[in-house]
Amino acid sequence: MVTHTPLPWRVSANQPGKIGGFEVIGPYSANWRKPAALVCMMQHHPDEQARAAAEAALIVSAVNTHDDLVAALRAILDDNLIDGNAGFVHVDKMRSIARAALAKLEA
């Protein structure tokens, strides 16, 4: 099975002299001190550099927090926070799990 580029990903501005844009890259390789992989390149007309930067940042944020958000959802579903027999829902615990996951996303 093929796996994705290791995390965390980050945004890097293109090399000087290239058409404007931003690159989403993986972590540096321990051996070569170079990015592990170019994940994608956001290129836009020079007038749209702010949009290219925002799109690259969104991709990086979504990918880097994906595992934490999935783990939070699983914790809400798997930690017996809903007692079907008693009709009781542990809303405070669910909110605490959700807040912790969102704090990582917003950091």
Side-chain angles (χ1 to χ4, degrees):
M1 181 172 136
V2 177
T3 60
H4 62 74
T5 301
L7 301 177
W9 292 0
R10 67 185 181 89
V11 176
S12 174
N14 275 351
Q15 302 288 329
K18 288 186 177 180
I19 295 173
F22 296 85
E23 298 170 341
V24 175
I25 59 175
Y28 284 99
S29 165
N31 297 333
W32 299 100
R33 302 291 297 157
K34 293 182 180 179
L38 171 64
V39 178
C40 74
M41 185 177 291
M42 310 296 296
Q43 284 191 317
H44 289 283
H45 187 275
D47 292 343
E48 296 189 21
Q49 288 303 295
R51 183 182 308 213
E55 289 170 349
L58 176 62
I59 291 168
V60 168
S61 176
V63 169
N64 287 344
T65 58
H66 174 266
D67 292 344
D68 290 330
L69 294 174
V70 169
L73 291 172
R74 286 192 174 132
I76 289 170
L77 293 174
D78 296 339
D79 280 349
N80 299 318
L81 297 177
I82 301 172
D83 184 346
N85 295 329
F88 186 74
V89 177
H90 299 273
V91 176
D92 289 339
K93 290 181 183 178
M94 289 181 181
R95 286 182 177 153
S96 176
I97 292 167
R99 282 188 189 105
L102 287 173
K104 288 182 181 181
L105 172 68
E106 295 167 347

